Amino acid sequence: MTTYDIALIGFGGVNRTLAELIATRGGELRRDLGFGLRVVAITDLRLGSLVRGEGIDLEKALRLVPGAATFRDHGGSAEADNERIIRTCPADIICEATFTNPTDGEPAASHVRWALDSGKSVCTTNKGPVALHGAELKAMARQNGLHFEFEGAVMSGTPVLRFAKRLFPGLSLHGFEGILNGTSNYVLGRMEDGLSFDEAVREAQQRGYAEADPTADIDGYDVQLKVLILANELLGANLTLADVKREGISALTPGDLRQAGSEGRRWKLVGSARRNPDGTVTAQVAPAALPLDHGLAGVSGANNAVSFSTDLLGAVTVAGPGAGRMETAYALLSDIIAMHEARSRETANA
Amino acid sequence: MTTYDIALIGFGGVNRTLAELIATRGGELRRDLGFGLRVVAITDLRLGSLVRGEGIDLEKALRLVPGAATFRDHGGSAEADNERIIRTCPADIICEATFTNPTDGEPAASHVRWALDSGKSVCTTNKGPVALHGAELKAMARQNGLHFEFEGAVMSGTPVLRFAKRLFPGLSLHGFEGILNGTSNYVLGRMEDGLSFDEAVREAQQRGYAEADPTADIDGYDVQLKVLILANELLGANLTLADVKREGISALTPGDLRQAGSEGRRWKLVGSARRNPDGTVTAQVAPAALPLDHGLAGVSGANNAVSFSTDLLGAVTVAGPGAGRMETAYALLSDIIAMHEARSRETANA
């Protein structure tokens, strides 16, 4: 049976959860999926780095408390040393789950580049590398005979990219509309309940949905990156971030939401794109007062959904979690499974 | 390039639409899908039957008006003669879109059997053969090295079966809840608007959603068959129709719907199944007053949706059309595409 050696770049919530899945359910996964997973390297800003060609003791690694210990005490280094580890560790696949700067996609983009440059396939949960450097990184993977998967970049493990890529054969996709940010959707829901914008944001922060600086969620920057990914991946567009018009929800008042409610509508922050008759693609993020019978009007709380507009089927919608540690760790697992399936096909065709 | 010879069994709305697709977009489909489609046989209760090994002139066939003409005037027969045509025509694939008796799945079940028995793969849009004889027919296809596909049996062309079969690798599916009948959902929506049950049913009939005898839709028989298919296909159950408890919506009053509305709930006819701790599967059809933040509460009008309960991802929902000629014709096309993909994989592995 095939065993893939993997490196976990970033040992925060997502990759820790993936490590827990492998540690506790590795046998089950091996039985169900036909391959094994062995973690041979971990790097983390706070914990440092550890490489073990024969496989890292995951239970031990998971017990390390960031801030109180580093991998130096366990035969590794106190430094993350990402470039060296990514380039030289004996992994087949890099699971990239660090962080990303929405301006240039760093440092995640470099992590992906180093991996592809040194012969390793990559799965990432970071939007930045895909939204801002997707075409370059996909070409790099193709040229090197490697895989670059990123289901978790949009709606965590909810298979929204694979849904549209795999299950619409023979259909033309005209465009999509999505609720792609749980925090802003939660805030709008609480404003419908009567809270002011500031109260709703504060509550979202207290519940752990919103960051200390909620700008990325509230002002639509997060959705903008996701729309860019979906438009380029699914509509064959070649857009850059500046092509996606962006407007957030901070101008909406409880009065606007009450007014919409009395007209049978709900305000939602909608990320959308459509293919124009001339073949170009227009994409945007903007609040919209959706009628209640719209497929996205019922998407409540921190849930996400994308509604695809097709020629023969009309609107088809996928809804599911948009975030979460386990949900995002599953995205990485589903990416590895996709690589395994593609590899099995390639082997069969060879 | 491969060309599949197909036979259209039943030349009503669905197969006529498939024929139109092939006639008007065959070249486009060939370019996008990598194979061609040629219709070599058509049978129909009213039009009779026609077999042409070199391919039937579809535009001519589509101009025939049932009741005013038969295929006898065009070199065929005035009789459908389904068994002989299915067994002897030179088709690779039978597209079965006749009708089905919910008690024994006939005549569709026999059409499928004759096809598989005579070396032809089958796609069908009929629930009966799959719900009532699924295990037998799937085994028959497997033993004969043939394909039996039926995406259109649940939610027309919305790829709900393929979604759960293909996009949940590594996940455990605990169960599902679905809104699987557009007519009853439309009736409940109109009762929320204040109509009585009888008024709402009459309106659904006038709009062409409900049959003259609305029993199958209103009393949950239609949903019962779909739940049976989903439970057996996706949860690996081995249920029969009698195992699926069934209750329709006819006992609900406008007062019940008002009451639910005042409590932030909506009555929906829900078909569901779940895997029990002992491995058995419990399935049922029953009205339920769903809270508004439930993934199915917002499914309005004639739309359908299924919400899957998974271990790592929680609830993931697919919503889309549950009926329609084009939507169901696309289901058949998607089945043929699935057969082509499977055949390509088999050839590669050989």
Side-chain angles (χ1 to χ4, degrees), chain A residues 161-350:
Chain A
L161 285 165
R162 290 201 178 99
F163 183 75
K165 284 184 187 180
R166 295 188 182 177
L167 299 187
F168 290 166
L171 288 182
S172 283
L173 187 59
H174 296 319
F176 63 84
E177 297 179 296
I179 292 181
L180 293 161
N181 181 273
T183 305
S184 54
N185 203 46
Y186 179 85
V187 166
L188 288 174
R190 294 301 285 144
M191 287 173 72
E192 287 176 341
D193 297 338
L195 268 59
S196 73
F197 176 80
D198 289 338
E199 287 166 345
V201 169
R202 214 154 35 233
E203 186 180 284
Q205 287 168 326
Q206 281 157 3
R207 292 188 162 225
Y209 296 148
E211 308 283 328
D213 176 1
T215 312
D217 295 325
I218 297 304
D219 287 345
Y221 292 100
D222 174 70
V223 178
Q224 191 183 27
L225 288 168
K226 290 168 179 168
V227 165
L228 184 56
I229 293 172
L230 292 172
N232 286 348
E233 283 297 309
L234 304 179
L235 297 175
N238 194 16
L239 303 180
T240 65
L241 198 59
D243 298 322
V244 184
K245 277 176 291 183
R246 181 194 48 76
E247 185 189 334
I249 60 168
S250 51
L252 290 174
T253 65
D256 293 330
L257 276 76
R258 268 197 307 275
Q259 167 83 15
S262 71
E263 294 166 0
R265 291 175 176 266
R266 296 184 81 183
W267 279 99
K268 295 288 178 188
L269 182 59
V270 176
S272 63
R274 67 167 191 280
R275 203 192 306 276
N276 301 309
D278 67 358
T280 60
V281 171
T282 309
Q284 62 171 357
V285 182
L290 304 179
L292 287 184
D293 61 356
H294 188 287
L296 298 179
V299 178
S300 292
N303 270 336
N304 281 196
V306 177
S307 186
F308 297 101
S309 166
T310 72
D311 56 346
L312 306 183
L313 273 185
V316 181
T317 304
V318 178
R325 286 176 184 204
M326 181 58 85
E327 294 82 352
T328 311
Y330 173 70
L332 292 174
L333 181 62
S334 77
D335 284 345
I336 297 172
I337 295 169
M339 292 181 201
H340 176 71
E341 290 171 351
R343 205 185 104 139
S344 305
R345 276 196 302 277
E346 287 155 19
T347 311
N349 287 326

Side-chain angles (χ1 to χ4, degrees), chain A residues 25 163 169 311 317 319 330 348-349, chain B residues 25 163 169 311 317 319 321 330 348-349:
Chain A
R25 299 171 48 158
F163 183 75
D311 56 346
T317 304
Y330 173 70
N349 287 326
Chain B
R25 298 170 51 157
F163 183 75
D311 57 345
T317 303
Y330 172 70
N349 286 327

Side-chain angles (χ1 to χ4, degrees), chain A residues 21 25 28-29 32-33 155-159 162-164 166-172 266 292-295 298 300 303 311-321 326-328 330-331 333-334 337 341 344-345 348-350, chain B residues 21 25 28-29 32-33 155-159 162-164 166-172 266 292-295 298 300 303 311-321 326-328 330-331 333-334 337 341 344-345 348-350:
Chain A
L21 274 178
R25 299 171 48 158
E28 203 179 312
L29 293 173
D32 294 349
L33 304 173
M155 280 178 71
S156 71
T158 306
R162 290 201 178 99
F163 183 75
R166 295 188 182 177
L167 299 187
F168 290 166
L171 288 182
S172 283
R266 296 184 81 183
L292 287 184
D293 61 356
H294 188 287
S300 292
N303 270 336
D311 56 346
L312 306 183
L313 273 185
V316 181
T317 304
V318 178
M326 181 58 85
E327 294 82 352
T328 311
Y330 173 70
L333 181 62
S334 77
I337 295 169
E341 290 171 351
S344 305
R345 276 196 302 277
N349 287 326
Chain B
L21 274 178
R25 298 170 51 157
E28 204 179 310
L29 293 174
D32 293 349
L33 303 173
M155 281 178 70
S156 70
T158 306
R162 292 203 175 97
F163 183 75
R166 295 188 182 178
L167 300 187
F168 290 166
L171 290 183
S172 284
R266 295 184 82 185
L292 286 183
D293 62 355
H294 187 287
S300 293
N303 271 336
D311 57 345
L312 305 183
L313 273 186
V316 181
T317 303
V318 178
M326 182 57 84
E327 293 82 351
T328 312
Y330 172 70
L333 181 61
S334 77
I337 296 169
E341 290 171 352
S344 305
R345 275 196 301 276
N349 286 327

Side-chain angles (χ1 to χ4, degrees), chain B residues 49-67:
Chain B
S49 53
L50 182 65
V51 179
R52 285 280 176 278
E54 72 280 15
I56 289 173
D57 180 338
L58 292 176
E59 289 179 23
K60 216 160 131 187
L62 284 164
R63 279 198 301 270
L64 290 192
V65 178

